[in-house]
Every structure is written in C-alpha cells, then in structure tokens.
Amino acid sequence: MGKLVSLSDAAARIPDDAVVTVSSSSALGCPDAMLKAIGDRFDAEGHPRNLTTLHPIAAGDMYGVKGVDHIAKDGLLSTVIGGSYPSGPSSLPMPEIWKMVTEDRVAAYNVPSGIMFDMHRDVAARRPGVLTKVGLETFVDPIREGCAMNDTAAARPIVARVEFGGETWLHFPNIVPDVAIIRATTADETGNLTYEHEGAYLGALDQAIATRNYGGLVIAQVKRVTAAGSLRPHDVHVPGHLVDLIVVAPDQKQTTETEYDPAISGEIMRPWASFSLAEHGVEKVIARRAAMELRRGMTANLGFGISAMVPRILLEEGHEQAVTWAIEQGAVGGMPLTGFAFGCASNADAFVPSPNQFSYFQGGGFDMSFLSFLEVDVEGNVNVSKLGKKPYLTAGCGGFVDITAHARKIVFSGYFEAGAQLELSDDGLCVGKPGKFTKMVEAVEHVTFAGQRALRTGQDVLYVTERCVMRLTENGLVATEIMPGIDPDRDIVTASEGRIAVAEDATTMPLSLLRDAPMGLSL
C-alpha cells in the first residue's frame, strides 16, 4: 500500500512553479477532492505557488463541483490553459476562475481541446510540439487572439503561425507537465486503474504518459482500492507503472447530479422507452429541421445546446439506432445525455479515449456535426466561445474548433434573435414581438468558426433557426427555406438589418415540424 496516501500528503508533494495537468470534463471524471486539497494546503501554508494548470476539458462546473475554482487563488495559480472553463447561467455568481481571467490576475488561454490532447502526446513522444491546421483563421490563430483570453496571456504567446512544406500551419511549442492529476474508479495496490463507474476515459492515459516520461508525479484519485493482482488486465486503462500516488475519495460523483448510474458507465442498457422525449416548443422545431439532414447509417458528432436535442428527435420518430453518435468525451453510439450529464451517453457501443476521438474529429472522419451558435456574422463566422458582458455564460471553445476544422458537413442551430416573443401553432410560427437584438451580426465578437475558410475548403455549412434555414455562399448568408408564418422581409431581412438575403427560389419548411406529434421523419 506504499502508493496510497492521504489527500493532504499528495498535495504536499506538488512543488512551487509546477505545471499541473488535470483530467476532467466538468464534473465527469473531475478529481475534485484532490483539487480541494491543493487549495486547502495553499490557504494553510501559502504553497504550492505559481502553478500553471492544463485542462483539456473544463475541471468542475457551476452546479456543485468546484473543480478549478478550488485553486483559483492569487499566488497559487499564475497561468491556466484550458480547452473549456466552468460555465452556467447569469443567475449564478461568476466562478472564481472567471474573476481571475476577467480581472487579468492570471494568464489565461483557451486552446481547443483536441489540440491540448495533441500537446500531451507530442510532449510524451518528445516531438517538437503540435503542428496543426486546426484553428487557422479563428481566434486560435495569432492573426486574431492567438488563444489569449486577457492582456497578460497576450503578452506571453503560446502559438505561432509557421510555414512548413509550402503550407501555413499553427505551431504550439511543448509544455511539459510536472504533475498529472487523474481520476478512475478503482486502483489496486500497485496503481493499476480501472474505470468501471466512469462515463468516459477522457485523456488520463496520455496525461500520465506525458508526465512520467519526464520524471513527473502522477496522482490518481479513485473511489476505492483493491488488492494487487485482483483487476482483469483487459479492464486496466492506466497501468500502475505510470501512477505514483493513489488518493481515495469514496463519494466522487459520476456527473454533477449523479452519484452513480450504471447506464452512464455502460454496465447496463436502459430500455429505449425510458428516455424522455424533447419537450414541444420552438427549440424542438429547430432540432427537428436539423435532424432532417441525417440519413440512416451516418456517424454524427453532437454539441451542447439545441443540437443536443437531435437524438431525442430520432427517438420520437422511431429511429433511435439509425445514427451513430460520437461525442468528444469519448462515447460512441447509444443515447447522448442532456443537461448536467451532457458528455455522457447511455447504451453506448463503446468508450473511446478522448485523444483518439479527437484524432477522428480533426481528420473529418464523421459524416456530419450538429453544433449551436451564439452569433453569426455576414462572412458566416460563428461565435460560441466568448461573451464579453457575461463571459462565464460560455465555456469557451471546447472541442468545437477541432470538430469544425475538417468536418464535411456542419449544421449550426440557434435563435435568429435574442428574446423575441414567438407564437407557435400547428399552422406556423409568428414573431409576436421582435427580440432585444439580432444574432445575425456584422462581425462576431470571437471567431470560433471561420466561414470564409470553410467556403474555400468546400465544407457544406447550414444554419438552422426558428425563422429560416440559411446556407453559406460566396455572396454571404442566404435564407433558402422559410418557416411557415414568417414574413421573409420583416422577420429575416429587416430583423437582420439587411445582413441576410432571401433566395428567390426559397421554399417553405414542412408544417410537420410544428405539430405536437411525431413529424413522420424518414431516414
């Protein structure tokens, strides 16, 4: 039991000035107890100081699992590099980490999650950093923000534009982790780790290898410890020779509101009839139109927001197994979950480690991606990663940039205006009162998706709203389908301040989208 130590003992092993990589996805897989122990040690001793932390996917959330907020303290944290950050509604207080970011008290970067996993693999193999086209012409590119979230970060660039082989690439130099904090369900006495109660593997293995290859410290938080030799080798995801310390947190949750659900970890299969259907309303209408792009046998990626409703549309239509879903946390197949459990899936066919899933995404191997938008501009650029007035309402880019870089087809979903009074009936959707502002803007606040690059590379891009379906063309965004009840001139052209044109041959979307009954979707 030499590797088994208390949380405080493990925290005492983390030196000042360390680079610490943390495996998590909001509450899923979050080593929350270990992060709390680090924060507690700093409060008591003033150490460790000046940490740099790496978070391929957010550590913690705003709903009860603090994660990175445990260590969001002046003096403790000097730099944070995250694929995403804790997010939530404006009704909740701003997380401490966001206060540090917005007040420029920590150098903060938002790096696409897949690139962050690539960084660990390239560190582990002692390659010269990540060379990628993911993020070109977006906020990731140094021609824009270069991933920087504030002035302190902008003064310390972590990415460069380079020419290699006659092409333009983005280069991320290596950042070597000194400490890895990962999570599993069970450890044996030698440190072998199994994940039987987890909803995903995430990137723990790659983070551990990157750290150990440079002589660093790997700390594994687990639910329980078993005798050496009692784990099946096929079940071990992180082998014991990569693990230095084991800490036990018996009450670690699967997700924010889930102590333990065996369907999330793939130990049982739920009856398909046990999944709830999408609630009837405008968002369901948008998700229904998005679902019409699917064909039986496709593999599709799924993002948070309205897009997450699309699998429930297929469920209602009797096509729950017609499409294979692939999500960035690693689940393949099954029914992706919504709400606090987003990132997990019940009835999954497989759990793939996140770094492998992102290799699949970055290479564009899937048929289609369903994603949401905060705002869209005249060049087809999409922002999902920054809201200056309320920054913590978005988690940052997450895997969005990796997914969209080479996707063959992308379906973005969202509202045309913010706060409009919409009246839905079986005969049409009417705008009873205009919204506070249009989401069809002149220039987005943050370029998370570069529309003009997508045009040049031949990507098929669709924007689905409650009023119309728009396509990205050489002449900008053009509405090609109109929702019944919508006045094209008033509700689209004028409402967008002339930024959206209506095609002369625009068609009317089917009334079946609007009714409170199955729409008769055929795949």
Side-chain angles (χ1 to χ4, degrees):
M1 301 293 287
K3 292 186 177 183
L4 181 63
V5 299
S6 68
L7 288 159
S8 58
D9 286 344
R13 293 279 299 274
I14 297 175
D16 293 349
D17 305 310
V19 175
V20 181
T21 182
V22 182
S23 183
S24 180
S25 175
S26 296
L28 173 65
C30 183
D32 195 61
M34 190 61 229
L35 293 172
K36 181 179 185 299
I38 297 170
D40 290 346
R41 180 194 170 205
F42 179 80
D43 289 341
E45 304 175 10
H47 297 281
R49 299 188 62 81
N50 196 37
L51 297 186
T52 294
T53 57
L54 309 177
H55 307 273
I57 313 178
D61 56 35
M62 292 175 59
Y63 304 96
V65 178
K66 288 183 67 174
V68 68
D69 253 26
H70 286 301
I71 58 173
K73 303 172 188 285
D74 292 317
L76 192 167
L77 191 62
S78 65
T79 304
V80 58
I81 305 173
S84 52
Y85 288 75
S87 64
S90 58
S91 59
L92 294 177
M94 181 184 292
E96 291 303 313
I97 186 61
W98 276 108
K99 292 178 185 177
M100 293 187 75
V101 172
T102 57
E103 294 167 10
D104 213 15
R105 291 155 43 207
V106 62
Y109 305 84
N110 187 196
V111 177
S113 294
I115 291 178
M116 291 206 68
F117 286 123
D118 292 338
M119 291 166 71
H120 286 81
R121 287 185 161 182
D122 281 15
V123 163
R126 299 180 185 266
R127 292 187 286 262
V130 177
L131 198 64
T132 182
K133 290 185 180 293
V134 171
L136 280 170
E137 300 180 34
T138 72
F139 80 94
V140 178
D141 196 322
I143 65 171
R144 298 189 187 273
E145 290 86 352
C147 298
M149 297 174 70
N150 55 22
D151 291 342
T152 301
R156 308 174 193 169
I158 62 169
V159 57
R161 254 191 177 230
V162 299
E163 297 299 315
F164 179 79
E167 297 182 302
T168 301
W169 302 77
L170 298 182
H171 178 241
F172 289 81
N174 284 335
I175 301 173
V176 178
D178 303 296
V179 179
I181 303 176
I182 62 178
R183 195 183 102 170
T185 301
T186 307
D188 73 7
E189 295 165 297
T190 62
N192 293 307
L193 305 180
T194 58
Y195 282 65
E196 60 269 27
H197 290 177
E198 306 297 323
Y201 295 122
L202 303 177
L205 178 59
D206 290 72
Q207 289 167 286
I209 293 172
T211 304
R212 292 292 287 125
N213 278 9
Y214 284 82
L217 176 72
V218 178
I219 302 169
Q221 177 186 308
V222 298
K223 202 179 208 182
R224 58 198 183 186
V225 176
T226 190
S230 61
L231 299 175
R232 290 180 69 248
H234 284 89
D235 295 337
V236 173
H237 180 65
V238 179
H241 72 283
L242 298 176
V243 177
D244 297 292
L245 302 177
I246 304 163
V247 296
V248 178
D251 57 350
Q252 65 185 23
K253 296 180 177 180
Q254 265 186 334
T255 75
T256 298
E257 292 198 329
T258 311
E259 297 291 340
Y260 169 57
D261 177 354
I264 286 177
S265 47
E267 296 167 274
I268 65 169
M269 302 289 277
R270 284 176 56 178
W272 289 101
S274 70
F275 294 102
S276 61
L277 301 178
E279 183 179 348
H280 189 65
V282 176
E283 291 191 357
K284 183 175 182 177
V285 171
I286 297 171
R288 277 177 160 175
R289 176 57 191 86
M292 289 174 62
E293 297 300 306
L294 287 164
R295 297 293 178 268
R296 184 173 295 276
M298 282 185 168
T299 297
N301 163 262
L302 196 67
F304 190 68
I306 293 175
S307 297
M309 298 174 67
V310 174
R312 306 298 168 129
I313 302 300
L314 299 196
L315 176 66
E316 183 177 19
E317 300 295 326
H319 304 308
E320 61 272 9
Q321 298 185 72
V323 171
T324 298
W325 301 104
I327 52 182
E328 62 191 66
Q329 287 78 4
V332 177
M335 176 59 66
L337 303 181
T338 57
F340 294 113
F342 183 80
C344 301
S346 291
N347 297 4
D349 298 322
F351 294 123
V352 175
S354 288
N356 300 83
Q357 191 82 300
F358 274 109
S359 294
Y360 176 60
F361 290 161
Q362 289 176 350
F366 53 99
D367 296 291
M368 193 180 307
S369 183
F370 292 91
L371 300 166
S372 300
F373 66 78
L374 293 175
E375 56 182 2
V376 181
D377 71 18
V378 294
E379 293 187 347
N381 298 321
V382 171
N383 173 23
V384 300
S385 50
K386 184 179 180 182
L387 280 174
K389 294 180 180 178
K390 293 281 187 178
Y392 61 99
L393 297 188
T394 172
C397 69
F400 187 101
V401 180
D402 305 281
I403 292 162
T404 56
H406 297 110
R408 290 174 248 174
K409 182 167 184 172
I410 307 166
V411 180
F412 294 114
S413 296
Y415 283 99
F416 198 90
E417 285 185 322
Q421 180 182 311
L422 302 171
E423 300 169 359
L424 178 63
S425 71
D426 288 351
D427 299 318
L429 188 149
C430 298
V431 181
K433 182 180 179 181
K436 299 175 183 177
F437 55 87
T438 180
K439 292 192 172 188
M440 306 298 124
V441 299
E442 190 65 27
V444 294
E445 184 174 0
H446 216 220
V447 179
T448 331
F449 169 76
Q452 295 307 297
R453 180 173 175 80
L455 270 181
R456 294 196 304 273
T457 57
Q459 291 176 288
D460 184 7
V461 185
L462 211 63
Y463 306 78
V464 179
T465 75
E466 80 285 1
R467 304 183 188 193
C468 60
V469 175
M470 297 168 285
R471 290 192 175 274
L472 181 57
T473 73
E474 301 263 343
N475 298 316
L477 289 173
V478 177
T480 57
E481 300 175 36
I482 311 300
M483 185 66 71
I486 291 297
D487 181 316
D489 184 61
R490 181 192 66 201
D491 299 331
I492 297 174
V493 179
T494 301
S496 69
E497 300 176 10
R499 299 182 185 111
I500 308 299
V502 176
E504 291 184 3
D505 58 350
T507 59
T508 301
M509 286 190 255
L511 286 170
S512 59
L513 295 173
L514 303 168
R515 66 191 184 195
D516 189 8
M519 61 182 289
L521 180 65
S522 176
L523 295 183

